[in-house]
Amino acid sequence: MKALVLCAGKGTRLRPLTFTNAKPLIPIANKPTIMYSLEKIKQSGITEVGIIVNPDNKEDFINVLGTGEEIGMEISYIIQENPKGLAHAVKICEEFIGEDDFLMYLGDNLINTDLNIFVEEFKEKNHDAFILLTPVEDPTRFGIAVMKDSKVVNVVEKPKTPPSNLAIIGVYIFKPSVFQAIDNIKPSWRGELEITDAIQWLIQNEKNVGAHVIYGWWKDTGKPEDLIEANRTVLENISNKIIDGNVYENSIVQGNVIIEKGAKIIDSIVRGPVIIGQNATVNNAYIGPYTSIGNNVNIEDSEVENSIILDGAIISSLGVRMDSSIIGANSHIVSVKKKPKTVKLVIGDYGKIELPE
């Protein structure tokens, strides 16, 4: 069995972060989001992976993942020139898949379930298509499946009147027969080839379509608040205190914290769960729970919690505590004491700032 990881999207809801970084490469707890997906895939016994990218972000993925050799995988990069839907992304991989069954994973999804169980059930029951489902509060936002006697009997994309509350989340397994299904569907009103339409074609043609319902944690990291929630969830799994950096006198480190090599904690309080990257400096500062601080970050005379601070950022002399924030790589946030008392901003497209009154 092979795997496809779909990463060709532009990540518009995460701008301006995605102007300079592909969405699946944005770090959660100091590790690119896609790495959590690849780890799940590898744990299921699949090591041959095709990553679907767009022409603009291909090199970014190669720089981070290379050939996959370092993580024990064999990675191929497949370019989707235009975003024409999930089924279109699958179709362009037909040569890569060949006659193999394959698992499809949306690159911006995180799940907390064992994919090996999912894979084994697909094989045992000889499914043509197998999907992961989970109950959701607002089914109108998702592709929805209807189950009968453990089989999927109907799927519909973002229905106005949902026939169930079982949402299709971003993990699927297919036999190569799905390519025939894709050849027999037409673009939706969005102008895209929908994977739900391909699954519905399989159902209508009496193929064996099944599903596995999960009730654990799942997150689509498509929006800033989703990234912050995912960051909290991952940090909650830190089970002990690992200090490879330097904690100097007059500093307090509480709870489960990872402080990586070269990091310096000076005259500061760090209260976990927190991860602090290599060569970061925290000086006369407070770092509160659920904060990820990247490599070479400098935080001085400031308070930060429940936030993601990317590599190389500088935060200095803030007069208020920073909370629920994502600070991009090499950004500078500095408070200066001089007249006139003004706010000076250089903000990229789609940026968002909330200032206290």
Side-chain angles (χ1 to χ4, degrees):
M1 185 177 288
K2 294 174 183 172
L4 297 178
V5 183
L6 277 58
C7 299
K10 300 293 186 179
T12 55
R13 292 180 297 168
L14 279 172
R15 290 174 176 169
L17 295 172
T18 47
F19 281 134
T20 54
N21 206 359
K23 180 167 60 171
L25 296 178
I26 294 174
I28 294 173
N30 287 8
K31 184 163 66 175
T33 304
I34 193 174
M35 288 299 298
Y36 297 97
S37 306
L38 293 175
E39 288 169 358
K40 287 286 183 183
I41 291 168
K42 185 179 178 182
Q43 287 168 6
S44 73
I46 302 171
T47 57
E48 191 172 352
V49 179
I51 298 181
I52 303 173
V53 297
N54 66 55
D56 296 328
N57 67 23
K58 178 182 176 181
E59 291 302 319
D60 295 331
F61 282 95
I62 292 174
N63 290 338
V64 173
L65 301 173
T67 63
E69 183 178 359
E70 289 189 5
I71 56 175
M73 306 187 88
E74 182 182 340
I75 294 176
S76 300
Y77 297 95
I78 302 161
I79 296 179
Q80 185 182 25
E81 294 284 350
N82 297 300
K84 296 181 180 179
L86 299 185
H88 174 262
V90 173
K91 180 63 180 176
I92 66 173
C93 299
E94 189 168 5
E95 183 178 347
F96 170 78
I97 295 298
E99 297 300 317
D100 293 320
D101 300 338
F102 64 97
L103 181 147
M104 183 176 91
Y105 200 121
L106 303 189
D108 55 2
N109 275 219
L110 291 175
I111 62 169
N112 187 23
T113 193
D114 185 354
L115 291 184
N116 192 50
I117 297 172
F118 187 48
V119 170
E120 291 303 316
E121 190 173 346
F122 169 82
K123 294 177 180 178
E124 180 184 333
K125 297 184 178 178
N126 195 30
H127 289 295
D128 293 283
F130 200 44
I131 55 180
L132 268 188
L133 305 175
T134 194
V136 294
E137 292 183 1
D138 183 7
T140 62
R141 296 175 50 230
F142 302 92
I144 297 298
V146 178
M147 300 283 292
K148 184 178 181 181
D149 299 329
S150 77
K151 287 191 174 182
V152 179
V153 296
N154 189 35
V155 294
V156 58
E157 185 68 28
K158 297 181 177 64
K160 292 182 179 179
T161 306
S164 84
N165 70 336
L166 294 175
I168 303 171
I169 61 177
V171 183
Y172 315 71
I173 307 180
F174 295 109
K175 286 185 176 177
S177 56
V178 73
F179 294 115
Q180 182 185 5
I182 295 170
D183 287 338
N184 282 278
I185 63 173
K186 296 180 180 180
S188 67
W189 63 271
R190 300 192 298 178
E192 297 184 355
L193 292 176
E194 308 286 358
I195 198 66
T196 46
D197 289 343
I199 295 169
Q200 186 64 27
W201 187 94
L202 292 170
I203 294 169
Q204 291 171 346
N205 286 270
E206 300 181 349
K207 301 295 184 181
N208 184 11
V209 178
H212 182 91
V213 182
I214 65 170
Y215 297 91
W217 182 81
W218 160 73
K219 178 58 64 176
D220 171 0
T221 59
K223 297 180 292 186
E225 55 266 34
D226 298 326
L227 280 176
I228 291 171
E229 182 180 343
N231 189 65
R232 286 198 303 267
T233 301
V234 172
L235 290 178
E236 283 175 349
N237 292 323
I238 297 177
S239 57
N240 51 22
K241 185 181 293 185
I242 302 174
I243 301 178
D244 292 326
N246 301 294
V247 179
Y248 293 95
E249 291 184 10
N250 300 322
S251 292
I252 299 173
V253 176
Q254 300 172 326
N256 296 328
V257 173
I258 297 175
I259 301 176
E260 298 185 1
K261 291 182 179 180
K264 299 177 182 179
I265 312 300
I266 306 166
D267 295 327
S268 298
I269 296 174
V270 177
R271 187 168 293 153
V274 163
I275 183 168
I276 298 176
Q278 295 181 14
N279 302 311
T281 299
V282 177
N283 187 6
N284 191 34
Y286 167 77
I287 308 300
Y290 305 112
T291 302
S292 295
I293 296 173
N295 298 333
N296 302 301
V297 168
N298 191 324
I299 300 178
E300 186 173 6
D301 299 324
S302 301
E303 300 185 12
V304 179
E305 67 182 11
N306 190 41
S307 295
I308 301 172
I309 315 299
L310 275 60
D311 292 355
I314 295 175
I315 300 172
S316 178
S317 303
L318 294 190
V320 294
R321 181 175 297 181
M322 178 182 293
D323 183 20
S324 302
S325 300
I326 303 175
I327 306 302
N330 302 306
S331 298
H332 288 207
I333 302 176
V334 179
S335 177
V336 293
K337 296 180 180 179
K338 65 179 183 179
K339 302 294 183 181
K341 190 175 183 181
T342 60
V343 176
K344 184 177 182 180
L345 307 174
V346 179
I347 302 299
D349 296 350
Y350 301 94
K352 181 179 180 181
I353 291 179
E354 295 182 8
L355 298 174
E357 293 182 358

